[in-house]
Amino acid sequence: LAGSPSDGTFGFATPFSLASGTTDITVSFDWVFSAFVLGGTGGSTDQFKVGIGGAGFDINSPLTTSVTVLDQSIASFGKVYGPDSVTLAVASLGAADANGQYWLSFGLFENTGTNPTTNSAVGIDNLTITANVAPVPVPAAVWTFLSGFMGLLALGKRNRPAA
């Protein structure tokens, strides 16, 4: 994501769906956020935010999400970075959109204030979303069927004439 020395919000989002039985998800990525002063008397505070939205998500407002994964600010100039890994309960995500999807969004807010002197950019790499799915229990009917089948096998062996 790269802004400009002008005010504005820049962003992108990627949709994802959850498998039935998903209990939580882990979102991991590497990132770097840097800002520098182009000149003048100083800059302002820019913001980089990563979040997840579902129903009502609007790509035109990538900083407005249901759940925040990362929220980082830089005043005037500097660089922050890191790998980030966050595990979130599915219940905390809220409702999915009309297509059954959630949106992982990345947003950059470029705030120049009254003197357009700060410019910032964000780099993102190695993005993964991992769903943790609860094991599906074997229904009681399967156990009943198997025990009945084993009983029939035992009965069949017992009734065979000796050779």
Side-chain angles (χ1 to χ4, degrees):
L1 287 172
S4 68
S6 303
D7 281 342
T9 301
F10 309 89
F12 69 92
T14 185
F16 66 95
S17 299
L18 297 176
S20 178
T22 300
T23 57
D24 53 70
I25 62 169
T26 302
V27 178
S28 302
F29 56 97
D30 297 327
W31 58 279
V32 61
F33 175 32
S34 63
F36 56 93
V37 178
L38 296 172
T41 58
S44 56
T45 301
D46 291 351
Q47 181 183 19
F48 167 51
K49 188 172 182 180
V50 180
I52 296 175
F57 175 74
D58 181 4
I59 187 59
N60 295 314
S61 301
L63 299 175
T64 305
T65 57
S66 303
V67 177
T68 300
V69 174
L70 175 71
D71 191 352
Q72 185 69 52
S73 297
I74 294 181
S76 297
F77 65 92
K79 177 168 64 170
V80 290
Y81 55 89
D84 212 326
S85 183
V86 177
T87 299
L88 304 164
V90 169
S92 71
L93 302 180
D97 70 8
N99 296 319
Q101 296 181 320
Y102 292 92
W103 294 84
L104 177 63
S105 68
F106 299 84
L108 170 64
F109 174 62
E110 189 92 50
N111 179 17
T112 61
T114 57
N115 187 1
T117 58
T118 303
N119 195 11
S120 61
V122 173
I124 302 158
D125 196 12
N126 299 323
L127 172 64
T128 60
I129 302 172
T130 306
N132 302 308
V133 180
V136 177
V138 177
V142 172
W143 294 115
T144 304
F145 172 78
L146 286 175
S147 57
F149 182 71
M150 295 303 287
L152 288 174
L153 283 178
L155 187 62
K157 283 185 177 181
R158 198 174 68 176
N159 290 337
R160 282 192 193 156

